[in-house]
Amino acid sequence: MCCTVPHNSAVTSNPAPARLLTRAQVQSLLRWPALIEATAQALIEASAGRPAAAVSSQLHVPGAALHLKSGALAQPPTLTVKANLRPEAGGAAGLIVAFDPVGYTVRAVLDSAGITATRTGAIAAVAARQLAGPGPHTLALLGAGPVARQSLAALSQVVELGEVRIWSRDRSRAARLSATASVVSSPEQAAAGAGIVLTATPAQEPLLTGADLADHALVLAMGADTKGKRELGDGVLDGAELVADVPADAAEVGELAYLPGGPDPAGCVALGELLAGRRHLSGGKRIVFDSVGTAVADAAAVALILATAEDERVGTLFDFAG
């Protein structure tokens, strides 16, 4: 994979019909552990210093933000554009358009909600596999929505989990997330002594401070991806080793925007650099991984989905030129 797609001067005159995939169909095609491995490779390529493989922006409208992300892979050739409308309250709505960058055609249109949550879980799993020490780990999970659910499923694929504690403002939703987890009454109770703390909420006020965390905890901050969102409070980032999927974006709209001395992308290591062995952490400190999502991971997920959908004949074919 890389960000420069093959060039073909011959434009397809009779493009094949595009494949339309519903949310349920997309979810049925997102499968572990292949998605985790594809996500890891995409993060390595995105951090390799090649021309930009992903572009992201946000357009704010009253009561919501439109997240726009585009990303490309060379192998298999994939170009995706995602538009997600995220209201301040309620679930997001969005679509991904997948293009064939060789034949210059629209290849598919997919519901994006399942892809966003599941690829975010895959990013969390890649980070945990790289950054967490040997298990079993006590996991504190803050949040009980789709990202929390997919992150728990993905983490169970790559690290040994012992006790799992879940906190959510909706206690009944937290109870439905896992039959074997303990539902606790506060974020502080969930995080106390936990080796891995994963936050996946839409919070706009901090849920945890440094005093709530074990000295060597791994914090996977998966929720804050828009200006105004924040899950980590005073002392969490202080003195910690900072890692992000996209450091520049995390410094703008993620937890790194709240560094005591101001945003500093240069003080953060890209996860892909660690995966490739180009950078290393010093060790012996708390680690905070700040994820704001990357369109390269979206493209990797879409490439897997479409390969399986075509093989298993899932979805509806539609001719936009007809």
Side-chain angles (χ1 to χ4, degrees), residues 57-150:
S57 64
Q58 296 182 18
L59 175 65
H60 291 266
V61 297
L66 181 66
H67 292 230
L68 301 170
K69 293 180 182 288
S70 57
L73 302 177
Q75 293 299 327
T78 308
L79 174 64
T80 61
V81 178
K82 180 173 72 173
N84 268 5
L85 183 62
R86 298 188 181 181
E88 294 173 357
L95 294 171
I96 292 179
V97 179
F99 296 89
D100 173 0
V102 178
Y104 309 111
T105 61
V106 175
R107 187 177 175 192
V109 179
L110 311 84
D111 181 87
S112 68
I115 294 173
T116 299
T118 308
R119 71 94 161 110
T120 302
I123 292 173
V126 172
R129 184 170 64 182
Q130 178 69 26
L131 302 172
H137 298 280
T138 295
L139 170 66
L141 182 59
L142 307 190
V147 170
R149 181 173 64 253
Q150 296 298 344

Side-chain angles (χ1 to χ4, degrees), residues 154-174:
L155 287 179
S156 68
Q157 297 281 320
V158 298
V159 295
E160 183 183 1
L161 297 178
E163 182 184 5
V164 177
R165 307 177 198 140
I166 302 175
W167 171 84
S168 170
R169 290 186 174 91
D170 187 336
R171 191 177 181 91
S172 63
R173 194 178 192 186

